[in-house]
Amino acid sequence: QENYNLHVYYHALGTDPAADPYVFGRERRPDEIIEIDLSPDGRWLTATIYDGWAKTDLLVRDLSKEGSSFVPVATGLDAIFTGGVVDGVLYARTNFESPRYRLLAIDPLKPERNGWKTLIPESDAVLDDAQVIGGRIVTRLLRDASSRLAVHDLAGRRLAEIALPGIGTVSGVGGEHDGVEAFFDFASYTAPPAIRRYELKSGKVTLWDAVKSDVDLSGFEVKQVFFPSKDGTRIPMFVVARKGLKPDGNAPTILYGYGGFNVSQTPDFSRALVWWLEQGGVYAEAQLRGGGEYGEAWHRAGMLEKKQNVFDDFLAAARYLVSAKYTRPERLAVYGGSNGGLLVGAAITQGPDLFHAAVCAVPLLDMVRYQQFQIARLWVPEYGSSESAAQFRYLYEYSPYHHVKKDAAYPAVLFTAAESDSRVDPLHARKMAALLQASTSSSAPILLRIESRAGHGIGKPLSKQIDESTDIYGFFAWQLGLEGH
């Protein structure tokens, strides 16, 4: 229960935490998630309260007035609002009446809706973030799952676009609200993380620091392809491989996916992935519905009763890789973790003939009972709950554990879980592995890897990360016939 009933307290460094004064949270539901932002001048406190991953309340409090309380800015609306106050203006990013998000300017002294002003309107790209830095608004945009950066004045007028090295992901945009520079991180499948400095006055971009890497990445390339899902929806996917690869249907290929919780799957760097590419492997990452790659409509098209769309997208990605002759089912593996583990579980039970191997990491697999264990009740706004008759029907319809068939020929599977996982109970992986072992008619191995002293993945020691990556990529190499594994 320590993961519920989140309350906010004020702590002054060097004082006894037991005496910290209460700030906020007791009046909120125990399953809500609270984030707090303090304005640079220390006057305004903004609270963002998440009810799942599709809806928030936004409140603001004037700390200059003794005994003040939080005042609602946006509450009870079926939309996301996030923001903070800078120089007396509340800047709020929202998908309210704008699925790909817009930026509002709100007077925190008069936060009523009729006073909201749109600074940066919705566009064809998703407004992923907006920061006030040096008297400018620096925006991070997402277009076809790749980052863009732009600079606006405080009235919202676009002044410039910040040049980026290519297809990749920008994160960590930051700087002082009254400063002269902004910093951001850029990474991609073939580009290790590097922090760049942007001079607001001159527009000059320089490399500030970078992760040192002794691997040669010049021989690899990233391509973006598009393919239709079962219902005709256009789905994007990144494919990473050696330059000049001529598809002949023979490359050992890993297909990765997630598809949920408004999380965008964008190009990122992984040293383990570099090893795979060096061995001649191909890596594909599909941007499935349920994520945030195209805004809130894309997210909602893959949650609750529409979750099957996510699985359809993933299976269509597997079919595309075969039809485009990157690989063939005997040399194709699927990979995903957490919500992505549910995705892989659904792929195993719905399309076992489309691939040869699967890594199903820290997965949710029994969707009829998932909400009863650990903190999984927090995921009900995204998935629904079998405690509702209507929601039970669609949860049971795709629940991987309930669709394992006796004597079906299942691919090789490596399940991973951890005994101290507070998000997803390891019981999912344990009982699914046992059921598949008892049910499969193929000779492909069904394996279970349990970490005895680890959780869902956050904060995992480097030694355990290396051990786990070695096991996972060793499994892929073994099953897909990678030469020299």
Side-chain angles (χ1 to χ4, degrees), residues 345-414:
I348 292 167
T349 52
Q350 295 184 23
D353 58 331
L354 296 177
F355 50 91
H356 185 73
V359 171
C360 188
V362 290
L364 289 157
L365 295 165
D366 178 352
M367 295 307 291
V368 171
R369 300 178 182 85
Y370 83 94
Q371 75 280 354
Q372 298 177 14
F373 304 99
Q374 307 294 14
I375 64 169
R377 189 163 292 278
L378 294 178
W379 321 144
V380 170
E382 184 79 8
Y383 296 128
S385 168
S386 60
E387 293 161 6
S388 157
Q391 293 178 340
F392 168 83
R393 282 191 286 273
Y394 65 72
L395 285 165
Y396 180 79
E397 190 67 27
Y398 70 73
S399 178
Y401 180 76
H402 295 91
H403 287 82
V404 174
K405 297 177 182 177
K406 186 68 175 175
D407 295 326
Y410 288 107
V413 184
L414 172 61

Side-chain angles (χ1 to χ4, degrees), residues 112-136:
E112 295 78 14
R113 193 193 305 185
N114 58 11
W116 297 354
K117 178 183 178 183
T118 297
L119 283 184
I120 300 176
E122 183 184 24
S123 71
D124 61 344
V126 176
L127 178 60
D128 225 17
D129 187 32
Q131 301 285 335
V132 176
I133 301 173
R136 297 285 187 266

Side-chain angles (χ1 to χ4, degrees), residues 12-321:
L13 294 177
T15 63
D16 181 3
D20 288 352
Y22 163 78
V23 175
F24 181 70
R26 290 173 184 161
E27 62 276 34
R28 304 300 304 193
R29 289 203 335 259
D31 58 342
E32 292 178 321
I33 298 171
I34 301 170
E35 291 183 355
I36 291 290
D37 180 81
L38 181 66
S39 63
D41 60 8
R43 176 177 175 180
W44 298 98
L45 199 60
T46 307
T48 304
I49 304 99
Y50 288 81
D51 178 10
W53 285 262
K55 186 165 54 176
T56 67
D57 284 350
L58 186 64
L59 313 175
V60 67
R61 177 180 171 186
D62 186 353
L63 297 177
S64 69
K65 297 178 180 178
E66 188 174 349
S68 65
S69 58
F70 280 94
V71 174
V73 178
T75 58
L77 298 175
D78 192 17
I80 289 175
F81 289 81
T82 60
V85 178
V86 178
D87 292 332
V89 178
L90 172 56
Y91 296 91
R93 187 182 72 99
T94 182
N95 58 27
F96 179 64
E97 298 179 343
S98 49
R100 298 196 183 200
Y101 295 86
R102 58 182 165 140
L103 186 67
L104 303 176
I106 300 172
D107 182 350
L109 293 170
K110 301 175 182 177
E112 295 78 14
R113 193 193 305 185
N114 58 11
W116 297 354
K117 178 183 178 183
T118 297
L119 283 184
I120 300 176
E122 183 184 24
S123 71
D124 61 344
V126 176
L127 178 60
D128 225 17
D129 187 32
Q131 301 285 335
V132 176
I133 301 173
R136 297 285 187 266
I137 302 172
V138 180
T139 59
R140 185 182 72 209
L141 304 165
L142 203 59
R143 180 173 282 112
D144 287 331
S146 184
S147 292
R148 305 286 192 276
L149 275 179
V151 182
H152 307 250
D153 65 19
L154 294 181
R157 289 185 292 268
R158 189 184 180 101
L159 303 176
E161 183 164 342
I162 301 176
L164 298 175
I167 292 175
T169 302
V170 168
S171 60
V173 178
E176 300 297 329
H177 76 288
D178 56 355
V180 297
E181 59 192 1
F183 294 89
F184 62 92
D185 176 81
F186 179 88
S188 189
Y189 302 110
T190 58
I195 299 173
R196 288 171 167 78
R197 177 177 180 265
Y198 176 78
E199 296 179 19
L200 290 161
K201 186 174 182 180
S202 68
K204 184 179 179 182
V205 178
T206 54
L207 182 65
W208 190 72
D209 199 5
V211 172
K212 303 298 185 292
S213 174
D214 56 0
V215 295
D216 182 8
L217 301 168
S218 62
F220 309 116
E221 63 181 351
V222 182
K223 293 183 178 179
Q224 188 172 42
V225 299
F226 296 86
F227 58 89
S229 187
K230 182 179 180 180
D231 63 0
T233 299
R234 185 172 181 256
I235 309 297
M237 178 165 62
F238 293 110
V239 180
V240 194
R242 285 191 180 277
K243 286 182 179 177
L245 174 72
K246 296 179 180 179
D248 61 1
N250 199 46
T253 301
I254 298 170
L255 169 61
Y256 182 87
Y258 186 79
F261 293 90
N262 206 14
V263 175
S264 299
Q265 296 299 299
T266 59
D268 203 0
F269 184 76
S270 163
R271 195 173 180 114
L273 174 58
V274 172
W275 175 85
W276 179 256
L277 299 173
E278 288 176 336
Q279 310 311 307
V282 171
Y283 179 80
E285 185 168 359
Q287 285 65 53
L288 314 171
R289 281 175 285 185
E293 293 87 354
Y294 292 101
E296 186 58 20
W298 191 257
H299 171 214
R300 295 190 183 221
M303 61 182 279
L304 295 172
E305 77 280 1
K306 297 180 180 178
K307 189 67 178 176
Q308 181 60 42
N309 285 338
V310 186
F311 313 140
D312 291 342
D313 295 352
F314 197 54
L315 296 176
R319 293 186 180 98
Y320 172 85
L321 291 168

